[in-house]
Amino acid sequence: MDITAALHTLVEKIGKKYGLQKEDVSARNLRASGAMALLLDKVDVNTIKMLVRWPSDEMMRYLHTSARLLVHKHASTMLASTNYTLMAP
């Protein structure tokens, strides 16, 4: 049984309790989720690409939706550490 089929079988058994349907999960989801977990733990992008076997920057396509989690603190730090003035166009 492949990983996606195993996930679908599991979701059919317990998914309703968590609001999941078998179409919600796949081996591909695990790959992207794992990469995101590593990125949030500040693992180097090149290391992540090697671990999840993405030879290109394709993984960034999967992770872009969560970029706000990564930059939120940095944006507030940038604004707090300097005195910005907005100029009229």
Side-chain angles (χ1 to χ4, degrees):
M1 180 180 291
D2 70 15
I3 293 172
T4 297
L7 289 169
H8 286 176
T9 300
L10 181 62
V11 169
E12 286 176 347
K13 291 179 183 176
I14 66 167
K16 187 174 183 178
K17 177 179 177 181
Y18 300 102
L20 293 173
Q21 297 179 355
K22 69 178 186 177
E23 296 79 19
D24 295 333
V25 297
S26 69
R28 183 178 216 160
N29 296 128
L30 294 178
R31 187 180 194 194
S33 298
M36 188 65 205
L38 292 169
L39 187 64
L40 289 172
D41 201 35
K42 298 180 176 62
V43 173
D44 177 69
V45 172
N46 291 316
T47 301
I48 297 170
K49 283 171 34 176
M50 181 184 68
L51 290 171
V52 298
R53 294 179 276 155
W54 269 316
S56 67
D57 289 332
E58 177 189 359
M59 72 171 216
M60 296 312 288
R61 182 176 65 142
Y62 293 96
L63 305 179
H64 82 278
T65 58
S66 297
R68 189 171 59 98
L69 297 171
L70 296 172
V71 299
H72 177 73
K73 181 180 179 205
H74 299 298
S76 60
T77 300
M78 288 169 45
L79 289 172
S81 64
T82 245
N83 188 6
Y84 289 100
T85 303
L86 299 177
M87 298 174 57

